[in-house]
Amino acid sequence: MQSQGASKTSVLNCIDLSNPDLHQSVSLLKQACLDSGFFYVVNHGISQEFMDEVFAQSKRMFEQPLSEKMKLLRNEKHRGYTPILDELLDPENQLKGDYKEGYYIGVEVAEGDPEAEKPFYGPNVWPEPELVPGWRETMENYHREALEVARAVARIIALALDLKVDFFDQPEMLGNPIAILRLLHYEGGISDPSKGIFGAGAHSDYGLITLLATDGIPGLQICKDRDAKPQIWEDVPPLKGAFIVNLGDMLERWSNCVFKSTLHRVLVNGQERYSMAYFVEPSHDCLVECLPTCKSENNPPKFPPILCQTYLSQRYNDTHTDRSVYKKPQTSILPKNMF
């Protein structure tokens, strides 16, 4: 296992979406994207009251008995419940999988619709209304509102990359996006990197951008230089009312490594922790190839073009447990105690 360096506190730029000085926002975001690929977004238009309700509904779901949650197990489209240890993000350093449970909610497309044939489109896995009343409505509303925040952030990113402001609004990009909400619950164990025990192992996100909302309990850490030995991990403090936004590998690839997709992980400290990650990617058929403003004769494209759906499917399959294991008795695959 790789040595884990001592952590310090990270200082991130803060992007105010209500700021009339767009030039200032672009400058702050560009600096953040060149440095760590992480920044805060405030005044994003989603009320604190509604955020509190989404967190409360998330908690109600995770408080259900495991037998009920396993009825909602994620399907081949990555919709539904993911148990503890389902995801293994850092096989080199993790003893088992992540000590977190989650719930995936994507773009709702009815069965029978031709679009539902695409890998990341289709009907969601919803609990019965009487199990968690109002749950589906709350999550669908949040999904819609978070997408508008992501589009606003993407416009500033476009300007920071010297593209037209509406570059990412095109139909083949965020006009018809792959947008996945993942509710997350970390039980109150204690992570121990020296023993390979993590809330979430070190990883970079797969796609374009991620909006992370937290319940105020710390745990997120970033590592700006993944090749450093030992790695230096920085704590990212929660900021009430803010999203923590980070760039994904797809945007690093798109920008020819001009912008950074940074390693991050979650360590839990004995406190129960809830968070919500909203992953935003372009459409299935978007061809991700080096942006015209990020290449030159002296800096040719570092990666070949690839379809978004091909890239994402491979990344998801690489990090999630094969669903067939859940056909075995639950006691053989799920831990009785986290730590």
Side-chain angles (χ1 to χ4, degrees):
M1 288 187 184
Q2 189 169 339
S3 174
Q4 308 287 331
S7 65
K8 58 180 183 177
T9 299
S10 187
V11 179
L12 302 182
N13 283 356
C14 190
I15 313 301
D16 184 344
L17 291 187
S18 68
N19 185 358
D21 187 347
L22 186 58
H23 178 76
Q24 183 186 48
S25 295
V26 171
S27 177
L28 284 169
L29 183 141
K30 187 169 187 175
Q31 183 185 49
C33 293
L34 293 170
D35 175 46
S36 69
F38 273 77
F39 50 92
Y40 298 112
V41 167
V42 297
N43 293 322
H44 41 67
I46 302 180
S47 72
Q48 187 61 50
E49 183 182 17
F50 182 54
M51 293 293 288
D52 291 343
E53 173 59 20
V54 181
F55 270 109
Q57 286 283 39
S58 173
K59 186 176 181 181
R60 289 184 192 114
M61 168 57 72
F62 289 122
E63 285 175 341
Q64 298 301 314
L66 181 60
S67 58
E68 290 293 336
K69 292 183 286 191
M70 289 302 287
K71 293 175 187 175
L72 303 165
L73 186 67
R74 68 174 167 88
N75 59 22
E76 67 283 349
K77 296 286 187 85
H78 292 282
R79 307 294 178 91
Y81 176 69
T82 56
I84 291 170
L85 304 184
D86 179 77
E87 192 171 17
L88 180 64
L89 292 168
D90 184 13
E92 183 184 333
N93 291 299
Q94 281 182 272
L95 186 62
K96 296 181 180 177
D98 288 358
Y99 283 95
K100 69 178 190 291
E101 55 181 345
Y103 204 102
Y104 281 117
I105 302 165
V107 175
E108 179 75 21
V109 178
E111 231 170 308
D113 186 315
E115 289 286 292
E117 297 300 314
K118 295 179 176 178
F120 293 93
Y121 277 1
N124 282 297
V125 176
W126 298 110
E128 293 297 326
E130 58 271 17
L131 186 69
V132 193
W135 199 81
R136 174 173 178 170
E137 293 77 12
T138 299
M139 296 308 161
E140 287 186 322
N141 287 338
Y142 181 73
H143 199 288
R144 281 191 294 269
E145 292 198 30
L147 180 57
E148 291 312 306
V149 177
R151 285 174 170 149
V153 172
R155 291 179 193 118
I156 303 175
I157 290 174
L159 293 173
L161 287 167
D162 298 318
L163 301 164
K164 291 183 178 179
V165 67
D166 61 353
F167 178 82
F168 291 111
D169 287 326
Q170 298 175 72
E172 66 272 23
M173 295 190 192
L174 299 187
N176 295 294
I178 298 170
I180 301 169
L181 169 61
R182 194 174 190 199
L183 310 174
L184 295 164
H185 173 225
Y186 301 84
E187 292 188 10
I190 298 178
S191 297
D192 187 342
S194 68
K195 294 181 180 176
I197 298 173
F198 299 87
H203 65 287
S204 52
D205 289 349
Y206 317 144
L208 188 66
I209 58 173
T210 303
L211 310 182
L212 180 73
T214 76
D215 63 355
I217 302 298
L220 177 65
Q221 295 185 330
I222 64 174
C223 174
K224 293 181 183 178
D225 183 359
R226 67 178 65 205
D227 297 320
K229 293 184 180 178
Q231 291 176 337
I232 304 299
W233 289 91
E234 302 181 15
D235 294 312
V236 177
L239 182 63
K240 187 160 180 69
F243 282 112
I244 300 168
V245 181
N246 65 282
L247 311 184
D249 297 342
M250 191 181 295
L251 186 54
E252 181 175 274
R253 183 181 181 125
W254 227 335
S255 70
N256 214 22
C257 299
V258 172
F259 282 178
K260 291 182 66 174
S261 175
T262 295
L263 271 186
H264 51 285
R265 67 186 187 185
V266 174
L267 301 186
V268 286
N269 61 2
Q271 291 178 284
E272 199 172 17
R273 181 178 186 269
Y274 292 87
S275 64
M276 301 184 296
Y278 189 74
F279 303 103
V280 184
E281 341 291 6
S283 75
H284 284 79
D285 299 321
C286 179
L287 187 66
V288 179
E289 57 183 336
C290 185
L291 295 167
T293 57
C294 297
K295 61 183 178 181
S296 65
E297 209 172 291
N298 296 326
N299 185 29
K302 296 176 174 63
F303 308 97
I306 189 170
L307 276 180
C308 176
Q309 62 179 314
T310 304
Y311 178 76
L312 285 179
S313 294
Q314 185 58 54
R315 294 296 301 273
Y316 271 86
N317 291 338
D318 285 347
T319 54
H320 287 74
T321 300
D322 189 316
R323 291 172 62 251
S324 64
V325 306
Y326 296 117
K327 293 174 183 174
K328 300 173 185 175
Q330 287 181 19
T331 51
S332 68
I333 54 170
L334 297 174
K336 293 178 180 176
N337 197 317
M338 268 187 63
F339 297 96

